[in-house]
Amino acid sequence: MMIKRSLAAAAAVFAGMSLHTVAAQQPMSLALLPKPRVVQPSAAGSYTVGSGLTVALTGARSPRLQAAVLRTLKRLEDTTGVLMPRAIGDAASGSITVRVASDGQPVQGIDEDENYQLVVTPTGATLTAPTTVGAIHGLETLLQLLQATPQGYVLPLVSIDDSPRFRWRGLMIDCGRHFEPMDVLKRNLDAMAAVKLNVFHWHLTEDQGFRVESKLYPKLTQLGSDGLFYTQDDARELVRYARERGIRVVPEFEMPGHSAAWLVAYPELNSGTQPAGIRREFGVSDIALDPTREVTYQFITRFLTEMSGIFPDAYLHIGGDETPAPDWKKNPRIIAFMQAHNLKDNESLQAYFNTRVLAILTKLHRRMVGWDEIFNPALPKDVVVQSWRGEASLAKGAQQGYQGVLSAPYYLDGMKPAGVHYLADPVPADTKLSPDQQKLILGGEVCMWAEHLDARTIDSRIWPRTAAIAERFWSAQDVRDVDDMYRRLQPVSLELESLGLRHLSSEDAGLRSLAESTEIDTLRTFARAFEPVSFGERYQQQHTSQLTPLTGFVDAVVPDPPVKHEVAVLMDTVLATPTAFDAHDAYARLRAFFSRTAATVPAMQATIRERPRLQPMEARTTQLAPLCQLALQGLDLLQAGKKATPGWSANADTLLIEAKQPSGIVRFTFIEPLTKLVQAVR
Ligand code: ACM
C-alpha cells in the first residue's frame, strides 16, 4: 500500500498534478459493516446526494417496502441536512431506483431470500432484490455508503452483490429478569436492522417475571409480573414493527424450569414445591412444572395455542435449560410415574416432557427451539438446539443430525470486548463437521441476559458490540481483521445513536446522576479508565437480586469503551518499534491518556467523599494514580531503549496484581497493555 501510494504521488508530481487531485481520484475507503460478500469499487468518483433527489420503485411496491424507503429518505435527510422527498412517485426511474421482485413470504421464514445488489453510478443508485427483506438490507448498506466530503454528501461509485452467510442471525433479550418498555425494544429492533440481524428472540418468562398477557390465564401477569408486562396488543405491535424491518420474532416461554412466575399464579402446575412469590434471587432455581400430570399439558396446549395466534413465526422457543428439579426425585407421585413409564432419571423425564410439548407445537405448525438441555435422542431431528454451553455441544448436535444456533461465545453479560466475540465463529475454518453437517448450523444468536441491566443501561450493554457479532453472522468466514472491524464500528455506533439508541448518552446520564452535576468532564475522563466486570464477578462481589438498584458507577460505565482498543493498539505500536520515529505519535497519545487520567484523581477523591453512591470506587481511585505513573515511566524507559531496575519491576508487579483484585465491581480498561509494557522494559 505504502509503495503504491508513493508511486502515485511520484506520478502525480511528474504529471504536474497536485497530490490533492490524486487523492480525490482514489476509490474512497468504505466503512460498511457487516462487510458485503462482493464489493467492487468502480472508478473513482461519486454520486452527490443533493436536493432534487428522486426515488422510484419499479417492481413490487408493498406498503412495507414503501415505508422502508421513506425511513431511508428521512435518515438521508437527517445526515445530509438536505430536504428529501416525502412521497414515492410512479416514475420509471429515479436518482435512487429500487427494483424488488416480490414482497416475499407472508410470514418471514428462515429461507426468505435476503440477497440484494446495489450499484452506484455518477447519476444515482440502483438497488435490486428478490424480496422486500433483501431491499431493506440494501437500503441499510446505501446509508452506510454515505460520506461527507468538502463538496457535500456523496455515495462512492461502487457495485455490491451481497447475501448473508447464515440464515439465523439473532439477538435475544431477556425481558423476564428486568422488564424492558416497548420503546426500548423498538429502538433495539431498529439497531438490529441497521446491521442486518434478522431474528429477535424474545425471552418472555423467567422465575423473576411473566411478561406477556394471556387472556386464558390472566393470573400469569396479574400475579407473576409486578404489573410489568406486554399486552397482547403490545406483542402484536412488536411483531409488526419487526416484520417491517426484516426481522422475525421468536418468543420464548421457559418450561419446565425457570418457571416460578407460572407457579405463583397457577400452583396446580408445581412439582411439589410452591414458590412463595416471584423469585427475586438470581441463579438456577429448584422450581419446575410437573411433567407427570395431564393438567400441565392441558395448560400448555391452551397457552401455546393462544400465543401462536400472536406470534406467527414458524419457530417457538421452550427454554428447557437448567432444570435440576429436585422435586422429581422426591415426590412419590412423580417417582411412581417415572417407574410406570420406564423413565430412569430426571433427564429422561424432561425428554418425555419435551416430546409431549413437541406434539403440541407440531399441531400448531410450530417448530421447537430449546437450549442445549433439550438435546436428547428421544427427540426427532426437526428441533433446533440453541447452544449456550459451547461450540462442542453445537457440533455434537450437528453430528447427530440436529439443527443448531450458536450462542455460547456471544453472551454479552461476560463483558468481553467486541474483538473477542467477533472472532468466535459458528462454523470456524478448522471445523470437523462435514459440509452436510455444517448446513445444520443455522447461525448464531447474541444473548443479552438482564440480571444487571434495566431500560437505562441495556443499550450500552448490547451496542455497539452486537454490531461486530452481526458481521460474523453475515459476512464471509475469512473477514477477521479485528482492527478494521473496530475502525468500522465507530461510524455504526454513531448511526445507532441517530436511530435513537442510548448506548452513548446513557454513560453521561449515569455519570451526571452520580455526580449530581452537569459538569462531568473530570468524571468522564476518569470513567474511561474503567469498565464493568462480568456478570459472574459482579454476582460474586455484590450478591445482586432483581431488587438491586442499578445506578452505581458500574452501571454507568460501558463494556469495551473505544479507548480500550485505542490504548491497546497504541501500546502494540510502541512495543513493535520502541525507538522508531514512526512511533512518536503513539507515544504522545499514550502519554496524554495516562497523564489526563492520573490528573483526575485528586478531584475524584474529593467527589467520592461527597457522593455516597461513588464510594465503592474509593480503592480503585487510589490505585489509579500509581498505575498511570507506572505507565508513564515505562513509556520513558521503552522509548529511551532502557531497562527497568529490579526494584521498579517488583513494584510494578505488585501494583498490577492489586489492580487485578476485585474492587468497585469494575476493572481497569488498560491493564493488558500496561502489563505488556512492564514485561517489555523488565
Ligand atoms: C442459559 O444461559 N441458561 C440458557
Side-chain angles (χ1 to χ4, degrees):
M1 279 312 259
M2 274 315 216
I3 292 170
K4 273 198 199 129
R5 231 182 266 146
S6 37
L7 283 179
V13 172
F14 182 70
M17 296 156 64
S18 78
L19 284 181
H20 181 82
T21 318
V22 173
Q25 287 180 353
Q26 303 286 323
M28 293 176 169
S29 105
L30 304 177
L32 304 177
L33 188 158
K35 208 170 244 202
R37 193 168 52 80
V38 180
V39 183
Q40 282 171 332
S42 335
S46 60
Y47 163 71
T48 302
V49 177
S51 58
L53 180 146
T54 57
V55 182
L57 303 187
T58 63
R61 41 189 303 143
S62 64
R64 180 164 70 136
L65 178 62
Q66 296 186 45
V69 169
L70 290 173
R71 282 197 308 276
T72 304
L73 289 173
K74 182 68 185 120
R75 285 164 68 192
L76 272 178
E77 177 176 294
D78 287 347
T79 302
T80 60
V82 175
L83 201 64
M84 291 288 154
R86 287 289 185 280
I88 300 163
D90 294 322
S93 74
S95 339
I96 297 178
T97 302
V98 181
R99 189 172 301 133
V100 169
S102 118
D103 189 44
Q105 301 168 348
V107 174
Q108 186 177 330
I110 189 165
D111 53 354
E112 182 86 61
D113 193 334
E114 300 184 277
N115 302 350
Y116 71 90
Q117 283 92 41
L118 178 61
V119 178
V120 181
T121 67
T123 55
T126 302
L127 172 62
T128 313
T131 67
T132 297
V133 175
I136 287 171
H137 296 323
L139 290 167
E140 294 292 345
T141 302
L142 180 96
L143 287 163
Q144 288 189 353
L145 281 173
L146 198 62
Q147 295 190 13
T149 72
Q151 289 74 41
Y153 285 88
V154 303
L155 300 173
L157 303 191
V158 78
S159 174
I160 291 172
D161 190 350
D162 202 7
S163 58
R165 178 173 171 218
F166 292 109
R167 294 182 281 168
W168 189 300
R169 306 180 304 279
L171 168 65
M172 185 218 71
I173 297 183
D174 164 16
C175 296
R177 293 181 175 90
H178 281 99
F179 177 76
E180 294 297 343
M182 285 286 284
D183 62 328
V184 173
L185 297 183
K186 284 185 172 181
R187 68 184 188 233
N188 276 279
L189 288 167
D190 289 336
M192 287 176 68
V195 292
K196 305 182 172 62
L197 291 174
N198 68 352
V199 178
F200 174 57
H201 169 175
W202 200 359
H203 188 85
L204 280 163
T205 72
E206 258 307 335
D207 290 323
Q208 291 80 6
F210 203 101
R211 303 292 183 203
V212 63
E213 175 191 30
S214 165
K215 294 195 198 290
L216 295 177
Y217 298 106
K219 285 192 290 181
L220 286 169
T221 50
Q222 285 165 5
L223 300 179
S225 77
D226 296 309
L228 298 169
F229 66 94
Y230 308 99
T231 65
Q232 295 198 350
D233 284 346
D234 287 340
R236 286 198 178 89
E237 165 61 11
L238 204 80
V239 168
R240 183 202 66 77
Y241 194 89
R243 175 173 167 77
E244 291 270 301
R245 285 152 184 78
I247 297 170
R248 301 164 41 213
V249 177
V250 174
E252 178 182 355
F253 311 103
E254 276 266 24
M255 58 183 88
H258 289 269
S259 56
W262 302 73
L263 300 180
V264 169
Y266 295 93
E268 60 269 34
L269 303 179
N270 78 35
S271 292
T273 305
Q274 176 60 16
I278 294 171
R279 189 162 187 255
R280 306 301 176 187
E281 300 306 308
F282 298 137
V284 179
S285 132
D286 287 345
I287 297 295
L289 304 183
D290 185 343
T292 68
R293 277 189 298 191
E294 285 310 307
V295 290
T296 305
Y297 298 106
Q298 285 155 14
F299 189 103
I300 292 172
T301 302
R302 295 187 53 182
F303 175 76
L304 291 182
T305 304
E306 185 184 18
M307 290 301 123
S308 64
I310 298 167
F311 297 102
D313 199 83
Y315 292 77
L316 191 145
H317 204 303
I318 63 144
D321 58 320
E322 298 180 316
T323 311
D327 278 348
W328 296 358
K329 298 185 187 121
K330 285 198 306 236
N331 185 328
R333 193 169 39 69
I334 295 179
I335 294 168
F337 180 93
M338 286 170 74
Q339 281 165 352
H341 288 77
N342 204 17
L343 299 166
K344 62 181 190 319
D345 52 19
N346 274 18
E347 204 180 299
S348 316
L349 181 56
Q350 192 173 345
Y352 166 86
F353 172 83
N354 290 340
T355 309
R356 296 286 306 265
V357 175
L358 180 65
I360 296 166
L361 288 176
T362 304
K363 274 205 187 128
L364 295 170
H365 308 289
R366 293 293 186 276
R367 293 183 62 172
M368 180 193 277
V369 192
W371 300 104
D372 269 329
E373 290 91 329
I374 70 158
F375 173 59
N376 186 294
L379 286 184
K381 299 287 194 271
D382 61 354
V383 302
V384 175
V385 178
Q386 181 169 10
S387 181
W388 70 282
R389 297 197 293 202
E391 286 91 335
S393 81
L394 182 78
K396 195 169 149 209
Q399 278 155 357
Q400 298 188 29
Y402 290 90
Q403 297 191 328
V405 171
L406 182 65
S407 279
Y410 314 119
Y411 266 40
L412 297 174
D413 63 1
M415 301 294 180
K416 294 194 180 113
V420 170
H421 293 300
Y422 182 66
L423 291 178
D425 198 313
V427 183
D430 61 355
T431 181
K432 302 281 184 295
L433 298 179
S434 72
D436 278 344
Q437 289 165 349
Q438 289 177 35
K439 288 198 194 104
L440 295 171
I441 310 298
L442 301 177
E445 222 176 71
V446 180
C447 287
M448 185 73 265
W449 297 106
E451 281 92 342
H452 295 153
L453 54 82
D454 61 17
R456 282 171 296 208
T457 56
I458 183 170
D459 294 1
S460 71
R461 273 55 187 155
I462 300 180
W463 306 102
R465 290 183 299 159
T466 294
I469 308 171
E471 172 154 289
R472 176 61 45 234
F473 298 161
W474 179 280
S475 305
Q477 192 273 326
D478 63 357
V479 176
R480 294 176 69 78
D481 180 337
V482 171
D483 291 341
D484 189 57
M485 177 275 287
Y486 273 107
R487 172 184 73 84
R488 292 176 290 122
L489 201 55
Q490 288 316 307
V492 170
S493 189
L494 289 174
E495 177 64 13
L496 295 183
E497 174 152 73
S498 303
L499 277 168
L501 275 289
R502 304 206 181 149
H503 59 300
L504 300 175
S505 57
S506 69
E507 183 177 18
D508 279 3
L511 297 177
R512 278 190 288 270
S513 161
L514 285 158
E516 296 176 37
S517 170
T518 53
E519 301 298 322
I520 54 163
D521 286 357
T522 304
L523 180 55
R524 192 194 289 114
T525 302
F526 171 81
R528 294 282 144 81
F530 300 98
E531 64 180 336
V533 297
S534 72
F535 160 73
E537 290 164 85
R538 179 169 189 178
Y539 191 68
Q540 285 298 316
Q541 289 183 47
Q542 205 185 8
H543 303 292
T544 49
S545 81
Q546 188 186 35
L547 306 177
T548 303
L550 298 171
T551 54
F553 183 77
V554 56
D555 300 296
V557 292
V558 303
D560 200 22
V563 73
K564 179 173 171 161
H565 184 69
E566 282 162 30
V567 168
V569 168
L570 291 169
M571 192 65 83
D572 285 344
T573 304
V574 299
L575 289 171
T577 52
T579 54
F581 184 75
D582 276 0
H584 242 78
D585 181 52
Y587 274 111
R589 289 166 65 190
L590 285 169
R591 287 196 176 98
F593 170 76
F594 287 109
S595 312
R596 214 171 41 227
T597 304
T600 65
V601 170
M604 281 308 305
Q605 281 170 331
T607 306
I608 286 170
R609 273 194 293 279
E610 293 162 9
R611 299 282 179 265
R613 255 160 65 214
L614 277 170
Q615 276 164 11
M617 284 302 293
E618 203 167 344
R620 282 289 188 230
T621 309
T622 306
Q623 289 170 329
L624 188 57
L627 287 169
C628 290
Q629 286 312 319
L630 196 66
L632 292 167
Q633 291 161 358
L635 289 169
D636 287 349
L637 290 168
L638 188 73
Q639 194 169 24
K642 291 188 187 154
K643 290 292 175 194
T645 63
W648 188 90
S649 294
N651 176 52
D653 291 343
T654 306
L655 290 174
L656 286 170
I657 288 168
E658 282 169 3
K660 288 174 193 164
Q661 299 300 313
S663 179
I665 344 178
V666 292
R667 60 188 180 218
F668 294 101
T669 48
F670 55 79
I671 284 299
E672 272 180 45
L674 178 55
T675 304
K676 282 191 196 172
L677 175 63
V678 167
Q679 294 303 338
V681 298
R682 181 176 296 281

